[in-house]
């Protein structure tokens, strides 16, 4: 891996990683680094609130909490442009498509993380924000239609009283 093609920056959820130059599809861009924990140690770390545990397989988990582990700053997205994958007990991140400079690099943390840690209704990835915005727009429309219907009913009622 040459110099990192991304930088740490402000994202919607705190910090995130942003491309600093075009990156080709399927480029390996980072390794998720940290000590390997066995199941017992991983459970203990989880109980103590460590949010940077990457379960490599049923036996091993990487403790990625050290700030030197740049890969801990990838944010989750339900519509990611990168993915994590393991080779033996090592974990890497690669792009899923061509990336433009300035784009935030994200991967999908998986359904367990989304359910248990983020909470599905609180996900701030661009897809979920768009989905929620669309839902809010739809609800506004429904309300408007309902109000319009109620108003026209009142009008009709007034009209019939007038007769
Ligand atoms: Zn999401």
């Amino acid at each position: 891996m040459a110099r990192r093609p991304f930088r740490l920056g402000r994202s919607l959820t705190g910090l995130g990683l942003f491309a600093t130059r075009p990156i080709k599809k399927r480029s390996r861009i980072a390794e998720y680094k940290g000590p390997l924990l066995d199941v017992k140690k991983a459970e203990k770390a989880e109980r103590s609130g460590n949010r940077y545990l990457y379960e490599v397989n049923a036996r091993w988990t990487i403790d990625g909490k050290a700030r030197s582990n740049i890969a801990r700053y990838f944010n989750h997205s339900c519509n990611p442009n990168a993915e994590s994958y393991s080779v033996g007990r090592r974990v890497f991140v690669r792009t899923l498509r061509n990336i433009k400079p300035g784009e935030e690099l994200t991967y999908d943390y998986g359904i367990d993380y989304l359910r248990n840690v983020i909470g599905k209704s609180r996900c701030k990835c661009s897809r979920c924000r768009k989905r929620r915005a669309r839902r809010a727009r739809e609800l506004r429309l429904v309300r408007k239609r309902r109000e319009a219907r109620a108003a026209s009913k009142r009008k009709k009622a007034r009209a019939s009283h007038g007769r």
Side-chain angles (χ1 to χ4, degrees):
M1 265 175 282
R3 219 165 55 83
R4 272 184 212 133
F6 54 80
R7 64 170 180 84
L8 192 60
R10 284 257 147 240
S11 81
L12 213 73
T13 49
L15 292 169
L17 298 174
F18 297 84
T20 49
R21 53 182 144 101
I23 311 170
K24 282 227 149 52
K25 183 178 173 176
R26 293 186 70 81
S27 303
R28 179 190 282 190
I29 50 176
E31 178 171 2
Y32 199 96
K33 281 185 185 166
L36 277 168
L37 309 181
D38 60 22
V39 174
K40 240 185 190 161
K41 281 184 181 155
E43 280 171 358
K44 200 175 158 212
E46 197 174 353
R47 276 199 302 276
S48 73
N50 187 336
R51 286 161 51 231
Y52 299 99
L53 298 169
Y54 191 110
E55 210 176 298
V56 186
N57 54 38
R59 288 184 62 182
W60 298 106
T61 295
I62 295 174
D63 177 1
K65 75 166 184 282
R67 276 166 212 276
S68 58
N69 171 35
I70 190 76
R72 69 173 243 173
Y73 295 105
F74 285 105
N75 282 315
H76 161 84
S77 175
C78 302
N79 182 26
N81 53 16
E83 66 177 352
S84 62
Y85 63 102
S86 58
V87 178
R89 293 177 194 167
R90 295 174 73 184
V91 169
F92 300 96
V93 179
R94 70 182 160 210
T95 53
L96 287 168
R97 53 175 176 77
N98 293 329
I99 309 282
K100 291 187 210 99
E103 265 189 79
E104 182 173 4
L105 295 156
T106 54
Y107 68 83
D108 188 341
Y109 288 6
I111 192 67
D112 286 346
Y113 191 92
L114 192 60
R115 274 204 196 115
N116 305 330
V117 184
I118 301 176
K120 235 182 153 181
S121 60
R122 289 200 310 268
C123 183
K124 287 194 179 114
C125 82
S126 60
R127 173 178 280 182
C128 287
R129 274 185 295 128
K130 270 183 211 146
R131 180 169 50 74
R132 273 196 293 272
R134 195 167 56 234
R135 181 97 187 98
R137 257 198 319 275
E138 280 164 9
L139 284 175
R140 270 200 302 278
L141 258 171
V142 166
R143 204 171 53 226
K144 252 190 200 157
R145 266 188 233 123
R146 201 184 294 134
E147 280 165 7
R149 255 201 316 275
S152 94
K153 249 185 214 161
R154 279 199 299 274
K155 225 188 228 168
K156 273 182 202 154
R158 269 202 303 278
S160 68
H161 281 303
R163 259 192 290 145

